[in-house]
Amino acid sequence: MSIGTPITRIEAPSKVNGQAVYTADVQLPGMVHAVMVGSTIAAGRLRAIDTRAAESAPGVLAVLTHRNVPRWHGTPDDLHYVEPRFPLADTEIHYHDQCVAVVVATTREQAAYAAGLVAVEYEARPVVASLDAALPTAHEPVWRFEPLFPSVVEVGGPKEAFAGSAAKVDAEYRTPYHSHAPIEPNATVAQWERGRLNIHKTSQDVHGDRRIIAGALGVPADHVRVWSTLVGGAFGNKTTVWPHTLLAAVASRQVGPPVRLVTTRKQVFTGHGHQPPIIQHLRVGADADGTLRAIIHETTNGTPILFDDPEPTISPSASMYAVPALGAYVRVADMHMPAPALLRTPGDGPGMFAVGSAMDELSYALNLDPLELRRRNHLAHHPLKRKPWSGKQLLDCYALGAERFGWDRRAPRPRAMRDGDDWVGFGMSSAQRLEPHTAATATVAILDDGTAEVRTSIAEIGTGNLTTLVQIAADGTGVPVRRFGIVSGDTDLPEAAPTHGSRSTGSTGTAVHLAAQNARLAATRLAVADPRSPLHGLPTDRVGAADGRLFAVDAPERGESYQDLLRRNHVKAVTEEGHHDPNAKNQQFAFATFGAHFTEVRINRNVPRVRVTRHVAVFAIGRVLNPKTARNQAQGGIVFAAGQTLSEQLTQDPATGLFVTPAFTDYHVPVHADVGEIDVSFVEEPDYNAHPHGAKGLGEVVCVGVHAAIANAVYHATGIRVRELPITPDKLARLVRESG
Amino acid sequence: MRTFDYTSPRTVDEAVRLLADHPGADVIAGGTDLVTLLRDGIRTPTHLVDVNGLGLDEVSWQPGGAVRIGALCRNAIDDPALGRAYPVLVKALRAGASPQIRNRATFGGNLLQSVRCPYFRLPEFACNRRTPGAGCAALHGDSRHHAIFGTSENCIAVHPSDCAVALLALDAHVLVQSTRGTRRIPVAELHRLPGRTPHEEHALRRDELITAVELPAGPFGAHSTYVKARDRASFAFALASAAAVVAVRGGVVRRSRICLGGVAPKPWRSTAAEEALRGRPLDDAVIEAAADAATRDAQTRPDNAYKVDLVHGVVRQALTELREQS
Ligand SMILES: Cc1cc2nc3c(=O)[nH]c(=O)nc-3n(C[C@H](O)[C@H](O)[C@H](O)COP(=O)(O)OP(=O)(O)OC[C@H]3O[C@@H](n4cnc5c(N)ncnc54)[C@H](O)[C@@H]3O)c2cc1C
Ligand code: SF4
């Protein structure tokens, strides 16, 4: 068995020795370079654009603007993954650094220089540069995912139930623009070959991207091939087809040779996705014993002028607790902002900050331990779907986490734990993330040279999914991991689920699992039908597979290697497909992953910065495919969310709507010195109701609840309830003057 | 192409000659600041004079006990004698940037680094410091990181250096050279307040080269520390910082320097805090009074009013550490 063993990522050596290829490393013969020119206003229109100087600069091959960009085909219908206005389509400006021209030149330096020579005259218009300013336009979103993510959920008369509750919390929580801030900038290399388009791009979903690219360019989808090699961090920002990809494609068509367009660091921050600012108003009512009576969760997020993109933060309110009366309302308000993108963890991340904070506030109002409050409202089924969870070990997560953390050492009142000049606080939160089911296909081939191969279009964004898929395939076929290869990230391969929304393990993993089973069965059939095989005549279910060999379950020494079997039969490869059909999921159940976070913060009263000194997390994700990659994902996710909680913020200038911090110098992701002790464990119970291999997604649930756990610990330490992220030192500065 | 000439002189004389001959020349040392300014088009020199070949990278102790630190010494400098004589300096350096940057960054470059006001660094904003008379976008913008002392209606940016704050607290001088000869500039006079001319950032003339920093002989300086408040544990500029040097004799503070970083357009000396310490024992009440005095006359804006508390906190922390050491 390789599942459950801590195998090192199969691509790790290449990342260490420099052989790993990322999109910006792709070299094609004759390749030239493109650079985008961005608008220096956030709202208005182009009055004039003069490209003459740029065109006559050394090395310049073309300058694309709204005047000469070829006509786009179709209209973007997948609003979640592409902006509704194609790039350079007109003279309107809707956000800062919006592309107004593309310069193509022989070298990147020439293109960058000429980009600076493009002279643009703007007509500025009044800008809506903050969510507060946008609130008058708040409205119910109109978008195509409404059935999946309802904007209004109302059951049981929430207003009355809240009014009649014995204990109440009524508070507003705010989260800022958060950026994905991947290390690898978004990039595209485009090449045309006799009417066919080859695209190498930073992508989390090559097949999804292909549909959008083909639609925009008016090319049949099967004339477009998209590759995603290794991806250097994505967190959702590579789920969208950004303008630079479409522009690289039209630029290459215009000039002839392949075009590489690598975005600048600034462009990654300004125009490649973010989570928009959100205001959540929560009203939570409970009985004196803590039993929840009502939750009213109203959320409003900023959305671009041109389309509605709601952030479904109501998800925790609508799926976690046994609350008889629920009112959940999603609204959006129009701002001059670039398109958001899914950001780890959409909806639940900011949603659980609010819900997890409100539950904490309620616990103080009730004088009840916050963990006990959650236990009392625990629910074994989905409250709205009224279906049991396929597997929920949240109570076990609570128990194990509390024990590992030492939760019983928590003083019941805030500001009660002091260590020298440090205020010390404990905080906790639950974690929950719905487990999606998405169509996915893979093949597994067992080859006559003793090796085997998985083929599926999945993109590897740094999670370790290539490794865990190989583990699934290895156990399914009985061919050891070290003899397995995987080919991925290419639309010529069977279509995997997108690498976002925690779909790799559940959906693509199931496809690989089935493909491996099918391949093994096909080989077994070959063996039992082959008179020369030692397994001849056995029923297929009496044949096992391990170490690259088929054997009789009842007499393991009787058997032969796949290699011998295939060679003797002159079969080069046994290749079988596996398909995960989301409609075939078990309709009896609802599906999710769960967890609990416990955190200790320390805040020096003279230098009041929040230090997360200890964090204990326990997750229930079904079977753990690989403890090493799982722990790594969990730790990374916790650090990621801690950064959002404590220091990350993309600031928009209140006067102009331009971004002020589009660089790592000012957009403060955590550095090593910020990371305290992180203790991760799993309550492992395979969830065969969810997926045949018993494993579920992990990449997102690990982030959910971290924000609230930290904010709750800050309150416990200091008595200051910070309801607006990030919790930077300015929000705690008054501690300096407080005695005690 | 926006081209520039690049020269790598071997002697200081040659370097200052190049600076004199090319009015559009900039010195490049570690390049950790200048290169990003070149990339973003904030600085557009016609000529780069690379001073890395000049030597000037030694720490030399003078006969009277003073010490000269060559302008090309890196911020990663690890000299035990320096650490004993001037702990505040070594702590300030360690509190700055990241190890990689400190390995490149030089003393001269650190002192002359440009402000970190984001409006200065993004060409799409108006900035008086970058373009005299253009206006100051920070005044109506996000000023969370901006100054609470020494500002003018033309500029409210803070000087970002940690090292400079320590050097001010140590009464250091900067040694400069040009074709006209050499001169010494007290660190206190190196950086300018913005007033009506925020673009005139420092007292160095265009053609002058920093050759060294000179610290006066001890023992003043040996009892010192540096405390920095920032948005994350490391690799962030100061929201507020304090360099504190005290000389305690007979149980009372005889002499002290309290200098602040991250709160003014130049390293900011608080004579009020020093006054509050003079002749008094370093006890809780006196530390509190000094910390309070350090915040006197702060001119805050809604976004940066919190810095008053942080100044109070970092001064208290620094003085508390010094008390515990004595
Ligand atoms: C991400 C980041 C974080 C940072 N964080 C901090 C921090 O927390 N604290 C801190 O103090 N600093 C910080 N810094 C700034 C860093 O310390 C400076 O960039 C560095 O000290 C500059 O030194 P340099 O030799 O690289 O200068 P350069 O970039 O080469 O030059 C900077 C300026 O000084 C001039 N110059 C350099 N040497 C001389 C000389 N001998 N004579 C005359 N002029 C000269 C140059 O012409 C230029 O104008 C940070 C920088 C970065 C990039
Ligand atoms: S504060 Fe100073 S540096 Fe910043 S924009 Fe205003 S003038 Fe420029």
Side-chain angles (χ1 to χ4, degrees), chain A residues 96 109-110 113 266 605-606 608-609 653 656 658-660 668-669 674 729-730 733-734 736-737, chain B residues 1-2 116 118-119 122 124-125 141 144 230-233 292 306 308-310 312-313 316-317:
Chain A
H96 178 206
E109 291 72 21
Q110 289 169 331
Y113 171 68
K266 178 176 171 183
R605 82 175 184 117
N606 294 329
R609 179 171 50 76
D653 178 52
T656 58
L658 307 182
F659 288 109
V660 187
H668 288 145
V669 300
D674 287 299
D730 48 323
R734 68 179 158 94
V736 170
R737 305 269 190 168
Chain B
M1 279 292 179
R2 199 161 59 211
R116 285 281 158 180
Y119 298 102
L122 292 164
E124 47 266 68
F125 288 103
R144 196 175 86 88
R230 44 190 149 173
D231 276 336
R232 61 183 170 192
D292 198 43
Y306 74 95
V308 172
D309 287 337
L310 289 193
H312 192 110
R316 184 167 64 200
Q317 177 67 28

Short mmCIF file of all heavy atoms in Angstrom, two decimals, chain A residues 96 109-110 113 266 605-606 608-609 653 656 658-660 668-669 674 729-730 733-734 736-737, chain B residues 1-2 116 118-119 122 124-125 141 144 230-233 292 306 308-310 312-313 316-317:
data_model
loop_
_atom_site.label_atom_id
_atom_site.label_comp_id
_atom_site.label_asym_id
_atom_site.label_seq_id
_atom_site.Cartn_x
_atom_site.Cartn_y
_atom_site.Cartn_z
N HIS A 96 -8.03 50.38 -12.32
CA HIS A 96 -6.61 50.74 -12.38
C HIS A 96 -5.81 49.68 -13.11
O HIS A 96 -5.99 48.50 -12.88
CB HIS A 96 -6.09 50.89 -10.94
CG HIS A 96 -4.62 51.20 -10.85
ND1 HIS A 96 -3.86 50.87 -9.77
CD2 HIS A 96 -3.78 51.84 -11.71
CE1 HIS A 96 -2.61 51.28 -9.94
NE2 HIS A 96 -2.54 51.87 -11.12
N GLU A 109 12.81 43.46 -23.12
CA GLU A 109 13.29 44.78 -22.73
C GLU A 109 12.83 45.83 -23.75
O GLU A 109 12.41 46.92 -23.38
CB GLU A 109 14.82 44.78 -22.61
CG GLU A 109 15.36 43.97 -21.45
CD GLU A 109 15.24 42.45 -21.64
OE1 GLU A 109 15.10 41.98 -22.79
OE2 GLU A 109 15.26 41.73 -20.62
N GLN A 110 12.92 45.47 -25.03
CA GLN A 110 12.47 46.42 -26.05
C GLN A 110 10.97 46.68 -25.91
O GLN A 110 10.51 47.82 -26.04
CB GLN A 110 12.77 45.85 -27.46
CG GLN A 110 14.25 45.85 -27.80
CD GLN A 110 14.55 45.04 -29.05
OE1 GLN A 110 13.84 44.08 -29.37
NE2 GLN A 110 15.61 45.43 -29.75
N TYR A 113 10.39 48.92 -22.89
CA TYR A 113 10.77 50.30 -23.15
C TYR A 113 9.72 50.99 -24.02
O TYR A 113 9.23 52.08 -23.69
CB TYR A 113 12.14 50.33 -23.84
CG TYR A 113 12.50 51.71 -24.34
CD1 TYR A 113 12.76 52.74 -23.44
CD2 TYR A 113 12.53 52.00 -25.70
CE1 TYR A 113 13.06 54.02 -23.88
CE2 TYR A 113 12.82 53.26 -26.16
CZ TYR A 113 13.09 54.28 -25.24
OH TYR A 113 13.38 55.53 -25.69
N LYS A 266 3.71 43.98 -10.47
CA LYS A 266 2.63 44.93 -10.22
C LYS A 266 1.33 44.47 -10.88
O LYS A 266 0.25 44.54 -10.29
CB LYS A 266 3.05 46.31 -10.76
CG LYS A 266 2.01 47.38 -10.61
CD LYS A 266 2.56 48.71 -11.09
CE LYS A 266 1.50 49.77 -11.18
NZ LYS A 266 2.05 51.03 -11.72
N ARG A 605 2.92 44.40 25.21
CA ARG A 605 2.16 45.63 25.45
C ARG A 605 2.91 46.86 24.95
O ARG A 605 2.31 47.90 24.70
CB ARG A 605 1.78 45.77 26.91
CG ARG A 605 2.84 46.32 27.81
CD ARG A 605 2.28 46.52 29.20
NE ARG A 605 3.30 47.14 30.03
CZ ARG A 605 3.17 48.34 30.59
NH1 ARG A 605 2.07 49.04 30.45
NH2 ARG A 605 4.15 48.84 31.31
N ASN A 606 4.23 46.75 24.75
CA ASN A 606 4.97 47.90 24.23
C ASN A 606 5.05 47.89 22.71
O ASN A 606 5.13 48.95 22.08
CB ASN A 606 6.40 47.91 24.80
CG ASN A 606 6.39 48.14 26.30
OD1 ASN A 606 5.50 48.82 26.81
ND2 ASN A 606 7.35 47.58 27.00
N PRO A 608 2.83 46.24 20.15
CA PRO A 608 1.62 45.41 20.10
C PRO A 608 1.32 44.80 18.74
O PRO A 608 0.35 45.16 18.07
CB PRO A 608 0.51 46.38 20.53
CG PRO A 608 1.03 47.73 20.15
CD PRO A 608 2.53 47.67 20.18
N ARG A 609 2.15 43.88 18.35
CA ARG A 609 1.92 43.11 17.13
C ARG A 609 1.48 41.71 17.55
O ARG A 609 2.04 41.14 18.49
CB ARG A 609 3.20 43.03 16.31
CG ARG A 609 3.10 42.25 15.02
CD ARG A 609 4.37 42.40 14.17
NE ARG A 609 5.56 42.14 14.94
CZ ARG A 609 5.98 40.93 15.29
NH1 ARG A 609 5.29 39.86 14.94
NH2 ARG A 609 7.07 40.77 16.01
N ASP A 653 -6.27 53.50 -3.20
CA ASP A 653 -6.24 54.91 -2.82
C ASP A 653 -7.67 55.46 -2.77
O ASP A 653 -8.40 55.36 -3.75
CB ASP A 653 -5.41 55.69 -3.85
CG ASP A 653 -5.39 57.17 -3.53
OD1 ASP A 653 -5.06 57.52 -2.39
OD2 ASP A 653 -5.72 57.98 -4.43
N THR A 656 -8.45 58.14 -5.72
CA THR A 656 -8.38 57.84 -7.15
C THR A 656 -8.78 56.41 -7.50
O THR A 656 -8.97 56.10 -8.67
CB THR A 656 -6.93 58.02 -7.64
OG1 THR A 656 -6.09 57.14 -6.88
CG2 THR A 656 -6.45 59.45 -7.46
N LEU A 658 -6.79 53.98 -7.36
CA LEU A 658 -5.60 53.25 -7.81
C LEU A 658 -5.06 52.42 -6.65
O LEU A 658 -5.18 52.82 -5.49
CB LEU A 658 -4.51 54.23 -8.28
CG LEU A 658 -4.91 55.27 -9.33
CD1 LEU A 658 -3.70 56.12 -9.72
CD2 LEU A 658 -5.48 54.60 -10.58
N PHE A 659 -4.46 51.28 -6.99
CA PHE A 659 -3.89 50.45 -5.93
C PHE A 659 -2.58 51.05 -5.42
O PHE A 659 -1.76 51.52 -6.20
CB PHE A 659 -3.66 49.02 -6.42
CG PHE A 659 -4.94 48.27 -6.59
CD1 PHE A 659 -5.42 47.95 -7.85
CD2 PHE A 659 -5.70 47.91 -5.48
CE1 PHE A 659 -6.62 47.28 -8.01
CE2 PHE A 659 -6.90 47.23 -5.63
CZ PHE A 659 -7.36 46.92 -6.90
N VAL A 660 -2.42 51.04 -4.11
CA VAL A 660 -1.27 51.68 -3.49
C VAL A 660 -0.19 50.67 -3.12
O VAL A 660 0.96 51.03 -2.96
CB VAL A 660 -1.71 52.45 -2.22
CG1 VAL A 660 -0.58 53.26 -1.67
CG2 VAL A 660 -2.88 53.36 -2.53
N HIS A 668 2.05 42.57 2.69
CA HIS A 668 2.84 41.80 3.65
C HIS A 668 2.33 40.37 3.83
O HIS A 668 1.47 40.12 4.67
CB HIS A 668 2.83 42.51 4.99
CG HIS A 668 3.66 43.76 5.00
ND1 HIS A 668 3.33 44.87 5.73
CD2 HIS A 668 4.82 44.05 4.38
CE1 HIS A 668 4.25 45.81 5.54
NE2 HIS A 668 5.15 45.32 4.73
N VAL A 669 2.88 39.44 3.04
CA VAL A 669 2.62 38.03 3.33
C VAL A 669 3.50 37.64 4.51
O VAL A 669 4.49 38.29 4.79
CB VAL A 669 2.91 37.14 2.10
CG1 VAL A 669 2.04 37.53 0.92
CG2 VAL A 669 4.38 37.22 1.70
N ASP A 674 7.38 35.00 11.20
CA ASP A 674 6.00 35.15 11.68
C ASP A 674 5.38 33.81 12.06
O ASP A 674 4.31 33.79 12.67
CB ASP A 674 5.13 35.78 10.58
CG ASP A 674 5.43 37.24 10.40
OD1 ASP A 674 5.24 38.00 11.36
OD2 ASP A 674 5.86 37.63 9.30
N PRO A 729 -0.80 46.31 13.89
CA PRO A 729 -0.52 46.95 15.19
C PRO A 729 -1.33 48.22 15.45
O PRO A 729 -1.62 48.53 16.61
CB PRO A 729 0.98 47.26 15.11
CG PRO A 729 1.52 46.20 14.20
CD PRO A 729 0.45 45.99 13.17
N ASP A 730 -1.72 48.94 14.43
CA ASP A 730 -2.47 50.18 14.67
C ASP A 730 -3.78 49.89 15.41
O ASP A 730 -4.24 50.69 16.21
CB ASP A 730 -2.76 50.93 13.34
CG ASP A 730 -3.31 50.02 12.27
OD1 ASP A 730 -2.87 48.85 12.20
OD2 ASP A 730 -4.18 50.46 11.49
N ALA A 733 -2.88 49.50 19.10
CA ALA A 733 -1.91 50.44 19.66
C ALA A 733 -2.34 50.97 21.01
O ALA A 733 -1.50 51.27 21.86
CB ALA A 733 -1.68 51.59 18.67
N ARG A 734 -3.64 51.04 21.25
CA ARG A 734 -4.05 51.63 22.52
C ARG A 734 -3.65 50.78 23.72
O ARG A 734 -3.63 51.27 24.85
CB ARG A 734 -5.54 51.95 22.52
CG ARG A 734 -6.48 50.76 22.50
CD ARG A 734 -7.92 51.31 22.52
NE ARG A 734 -8.89 50.40 22.01
CZ ARG A 734 -9.60 49.55 22.76
NH1 ARG A 734 -9.39 49.49 24.06
NH2 ARG A 734 -10.50 48.77 22.22
N VAL A 736 -0.82 50.07 24.51
CA VAL A 736 0.38 50.67 25.07
C VAL A 736 0.05 51.53 26.28
O VAL A 736 0.78 51.55 27.26
CB VAL A 736 1.09 51.51 23.99
CG1 VAL A 736 2.21 52.33 24.61
CG2 VAL A 736 1.63 50.62 22.89
N ARG A 737 -1.08 52.22 26.19
CA ARG A 737 -1.41 53.17 27.25
C ARG A 737 -2.25 52.56 28.36
O ARG A 737 -2.53 53.22 29.35
CB ARG A 737 -2.21 54.34 26.67
CG ARG A 737 -1.53 55.03 25.53
CD ARG A 737 -0.69 56.18 26.04
NE ARG A 737 -0.24 56.98 24.90
CZ ARG A 737 0.31 58.17 25.01
NH1 ARG A 737 0.46 58.72 26.19
NH2 ARG A 737 0.71 58.81 23.92
N MET B 1 15.71 52.99 -26.57
CA MET B 1 15.98 52.53 -25.21
C MET B 1 16.42 53.69 -24.33
O MET B 1 17.14 54.57 -24.79
CB MET B 1 17.11 51.49 -25.21
CG MET B 1 16.64 50.11 -25.59
SD MET B 1 15.57 49.46 -24.30
CE MET B 1 15.15 47.89 -25.00
N ARG B 2 15.98 53.60 -23.09
CA ARG B 2 16.46 54.60 -22.14
C ARG B 2 17.83 54.15 -21.67
O ARG B 2 17.96 53.35 -20.76
CB ARG B 2 15.49 54.69 -20.96
CG ARG B 2 15.63 55.97 -20.16
CD ARG B 2 14.40 56.19 -19.34
NE ARG B 2 14.17 55.07 -18.44
CZ ARG B 2 12.97 54.68 -18.04
NH1 ARG B 2 11.89 55.28 -18.46
NH2 ARG B 2 12.84 53.67 -17.21
N ARG B 116 9.78 55.50 1.23
CA ARG B 116 8.96 54.36 0.84
C ARG B 116 7.50 54.74 0.66
O ARG B 116 6.65 53.87 0.52
CB ARG B 116 9.09 53.27 1.91
CG ARG B 116 10.40 52.54 1.83
CD ARG B 116 10.37 51.53 0.71
NE ARG B 116 11.73 51.19 0.27
CZ ARG B 116 11.96 50.33 -0.71
NH1 ARG B 116 10.97 49.75 -1.34
NH2 ARG B 116 13.19 50.08 -1.10
N PRO B 118 4.29 55.03 -0.88
CA PRO B 118 3.90 54.34 -2.11
C PRO B 118 3.55 55.32 -3.23
O PRO B 118 3.70 55.01 -4.41
CB PRO B 118 2.69 53.51 -1.69
CG PRO B 118 2.22 54.07 -0.40
CD PRO B 118 3.40 54.72 0.25
N TYR B 119 3.11 56.50 -2.84
CA TYR B 119 2.74 57.49 -3.87
C TYR B 119 3.98 58.02 -4.58
O TYR B 119 3.93 58.43 -5.72
CB TYR B 119 1.95 58.63 -3.22
CG TYR B 119 0.66 58.16 -2.61
CD1 TYR B 119 0.52 57.99 -1.23
CD2 TYR B 119 -0.43 57.87 -3.41
CE1 TYR B 119 -0.66 57.55 -0.68
CE2 TYR B 119 -1.63 57.42 -2.87
CZ TYR B 119 -1.75 57.26 -1.50
OH TYR B 119 -2.92 56.82 -0.96
N LEU B 122 4.99 55.03 -7.16
CA LEU B 122 4.11 54.68 -8.27
C LEU B 122 3.92 55.93 -9.13
O LEU B 122 3.29 56.89 -8.71
CB LEU B 122 2.76 54.19 -7.74
CG LEU B 122 2.79 52.83 -7.01
CD1 LEU B 122 1.51 52.62 -6.21
CD2 LEU B 122 2.98 51.70 -8.01
N GLU B 124 2.03 56.85 -11.33
CA GLU B 124 0.71 57.39 -11.68
C GLU B 124 0.16 58.37 -10.65
O GLU B 124 -0.86 59.00 -10.88
CB GLU B 124 -0.30 56.29 -11.97
CG GLU B 124 -0.40 55.13 -11.02
CD GLU B 124 0.46 53.94 -11.43
OE1 GLU B 124 1.69 54.07 -11.38
OE2 GLU B 124 -0.10 52.87 -11.76
N PHE B 125 0.86 58.51 -9.52
CA PHE B 125 0.39 59.46 -8.50
C PHE B 125 1.20 60.76 -8.54
O PHE B 125 2.37 60.76 -8.91
CB PHE B 125 0.53 58.85 -7.11
CG PHE B 125 -0.46 57.76 -6.82
CD1 PHE B 125 -0.07 56.43 -6.85
CD2 PHE B 125 -1.77 58.07 -6.52
CE1 PHE B 125 -0.98 55.41 -6.59
CE2 PHE B 125 -2.69 57.06 -6.25
CZ PHE B 125 -2.29 55.74 -6.28
N GLY B 141 -4.78 60.67 0.64
CA GLY B 141 -4.78 59.24 0.40
C GLY B 141 -4.65 58.44 1.67
O GLY B 141 -5.12 58.84 2.74
N ARG B 144 -1.48 55.81 6.54
CA ARG B 144 -1.23 55.00 7.72
C ARG B 144 0.25 54.96 8.09
O ARG B 144 0.61 54.91 9.25
CB ARG B 144 -1.73 53.56 7.48
CG ARG B 144 -1.89 52.74 8.72
CD ARG B 144 -2.51 51.37 8.40
NE ARG B 144 -1.51 50.40 8.01
CZ ARG B 144 -0.86 49.61 8.88
NH1 ARG B 144 -1.10 49.69 10.16
NH2 ARG B 144 0.03 48.74 8.46
N ARG B 230 6.60 47.00 13.78
CA ARG B 230 6.34 46.86 12.35
C ARG B 230 5.14 45.94 12.13
O ARG B 230 4.65 45.33 13.08
CB ARG B 230 7.56 46.34 11.62
CG ARG B 230 8.24 45.20 12.35
CD ARG B 230 9.58 44.85 11.74
NE ARG B 230 10.51 44.35 12.75
CZ ARG B 230 11.70 43.84 12.50
NH1 ARG B 230 12.13 43.79 11.26
NH2 ARG B 230 12.48 43.41 13.46
N ASP B 231 4.72 45.83 10.87
CA ASP B 231 3.51 45.06 10.56
C ASP B 231 3.71 43.55 10.64
O ASP B 231 2.75 42.81 10.79
CB ASP B 231 3.01 45.41 9.15
CG ASP B 231 2.14 46.67 9.16
OD1 ASP B 231 1.59 47.00 10.21
OD2 ASP B 231 2.03 47.32 8.10
N ARG B 232 4.92 43.09 10.47
CA ARG B 232 5.18 41.65 10.65
C ARG B 232 6.51 41.49 11.36
O ARG B 232 7.20 42.47 11.62
CB ARG B 232 5.11 40.90 9.31
CG ARG B 232 6.11 41.34 8.31
CD ARG B 232 5.98 40.61 6.96
NE ARG B 232 6.83 41.27 5.98
CZ ARG B 232 6.81 41.07 4.68
NH1 ARG B 232 5.96 40.19 4.16
NH2 ARG B 232 7.61 41.72 3.88
N ALA B 233 6.87 40.23 11.64
CA ALA B 233 8.01 40.00 12.54
C ALA B 233 9.33 40.46 11.95
O ALA B 233 10.27 40.79 12.69
CB ALA B 233 8.08 38.52 12.89
N ASP B 292 6.32 59.31 27.29
CA ASP B 292 5.26 60.28 27.04
C ASP B 292 5.83 61.52 26.36
O ASP B 292 5.26 62.04 25.39
CB ASP B 292 4.60 60.63 28.38
CG ASP B 292 3.25 61.27 28.16
OD1 ASP B 292 2.51 60.76 27.29
OD2 ASP B 292 2.96 62.29 28.82
N TYR B 306 -2.39 56.41 15.54
CA TYR B 306 -1.92 55.28 16.36
C TYR B 306 -0.42 55.32 16.61
O TYR B 306 0.10 54.72 17.55
CB TYR B 306 -2.29 53.96 15.69
CG TYR B 306 -1.44 53.65 14.48
CD1 TYR B 306 -0.31 52.84 14.61
CD2 TYR B 306 -1.72 54.19 13.22
CE1 TYR B 306 0.51 52.58 13.52
CE2 TYR B 306 -0.92 53.94 12.14
CZ TYR B 306 0.21 53.14 12.29
OH TYR B 306 1.02 52.90 11.22
N VAL B 308 1.35 57.57 17.71
CA VAL B 308 1.67 58.21 18.99
C VAL B 308 1.83 57.13 20.07
O VAL B 308 2.79 57.11 20.83
CB VAL B 308 0.57 59.22 19.37
CG1 VAL B 308 0.78 59.76 20.78
CG2 VAL B 308 0.54 60.35 18.35
N ASP B 309 0.88 56.21 20.07
CA ASP B 309 0.96 55.12 21.05
C ASP B 309 2.18 54.23 20.78
O ASP B 309 2.84 53.78 21.71
CB ASP B 309 -0.31 54.27 21.01
CG ASP B 309 -1.50 55.01 21.65
OD1 ASP B 309 -1.24 55.91 22.47
OD2 ASP B 309 -2.65 54.69 21.32
N LEU B 310 2.43 53.98 19.51
CA LEU B 310 3.58 53.11 19.20
C LEU B 310 4.89 53.77 19.62
O LEU B 310 5.80 53.09 20.12
CB LEU B 310 3.62 52.76 17.72
CG LEU B 310 2.55 51.80 17.21
CD1 LEU B 310 2.89 51.30 15.81
CD2 LEU B 310 2.35 50.60 18.14
N HIS B 312 5.30 55.81 22.06
CA HIS B 312 5.31 55.62 23.51
C HIS B 312 5.80 54.21 23.85
O HIS B 312 6.67 54.01 24.70
CB HIS B 312 3.89 55.85 24.04
CG HIS B 312 3.82 55.98 25.53
ND1 HIS B 312 3.52 57.17 26.15
CD2 HIS B 312 3.99 55.07 26.51
CE1 HIS B 312 3.52 56.98 27.47
NE2 HIS B 312 3.80 55.71 27.71
N GLY B 313 5.27 53.25 23.15
CA GLY B 313 5.59 51.85 23.42
C GLY B 313 7.04 51.50 23.12
O GLY B 313 7.70 50.84 23.92
N ARG B 316 9.37 53.13 25.64
CA ARG B 316 9.28 52.44 26.93
C ARG B 316 10.01 51.09 26.87
O ARG B 316 10.75 50.72 27.78
CB ARG B 316 7.82 52.24 27.33
CG ARG B 316 7.68 51.62 28.72
CD ARG B 316 6.27 51.71 29.24
NE ARG B 316 5.35 50.95 28.43
CZ ARG B 316 4.02 51.14 28.39
NH1 ARG B 316 3.47 52.10 29.12
NH2 ARG B 316 3.25 50.42 27.63
N GLN B 317 9.81 50.38 25.78
CA GLN B 317 10.46 49.08 25.64
C GLN B 317 11.98 49.24 25.64
O GLN B 317 12.70 48.52 26.32
CB GLN B 317 9.99 48.40 24.35
CG GLN B 317 10.63 47.05 24.05
CD GLN B 317 10.24 45.97 25.04
OE1 GLN B 317 9.15 46.01 25.63
NE2 GLN B 317 11.14 45.02 25.27
#
